[in-house]
Amino acid sequence: MDEIQSEPNQRKATPPPPTPPQPLHQSDADEEDENVKQLDGCASHYLSMQECIANSNRDWKACQAEVQALKACMEKRRGNK
């Protein structure tokens, strides 16, 4: 009987897991697009909302506190103009 020789076990290198994104903060607004810069005092609320949406798999319902905080900030800002 002929024996079938199997190839030696070869380990395949697995790539390292991706690094998680850095949290967004007020200071990051300088690096964001012009729309975020135009939010002035509300940029931190916007960035918090963005971070929540990213962390919750785009579940807006989970981020209602952040959405409402941004909404209140924007309404206050419009009222002061």
Side-chain angles (χ1 to χ4, degrees):
M1 227 189 263
D2 290 329
E3 284 188 33
I4 301 174
Q5 293 182 352
S6 61
E7 294 182 29
N9 290 340
Q10 293 181 357
R11 288 186 132 184
K12 291 184 179 179
T14 57
T19 56
Q22 296 284 331
L24 299 172
H25 299 288
Q26 174 64 39
S27 61
D28 294 334
D30 293 336
E31 298 172 9
E32 294 290 327
D33 62 42
E34 288 299 316
N35 293 330
V36 175
K37 290 180 184 178
Q38 291 175 4
L39 292 173
D40 292 328
C42 298
S44 62
H45 295 290
Y46 176 78
L47 295 172
S48 293
M49 182 188 71
Q50 256 190 340
E51 183 176 5
C52 179
I53 291 168
N55 291 337
S56 68
N57 232 4
R58 302 187 64 80
D59 181 6
W60 285 89
K61 290 181 181 180
C63 301
Q64 284 304 298
E66 290 81 358
V67 171
Q68 294 304 318
L70 176 60
K71 180 180 176 184
C73 183
M74 293 301 292
E75 287 173 354
K76 181 178 176 184
R77 187 170 163 246
R78 285 186 191 114
N80 289 337
K81 284 189 174 183

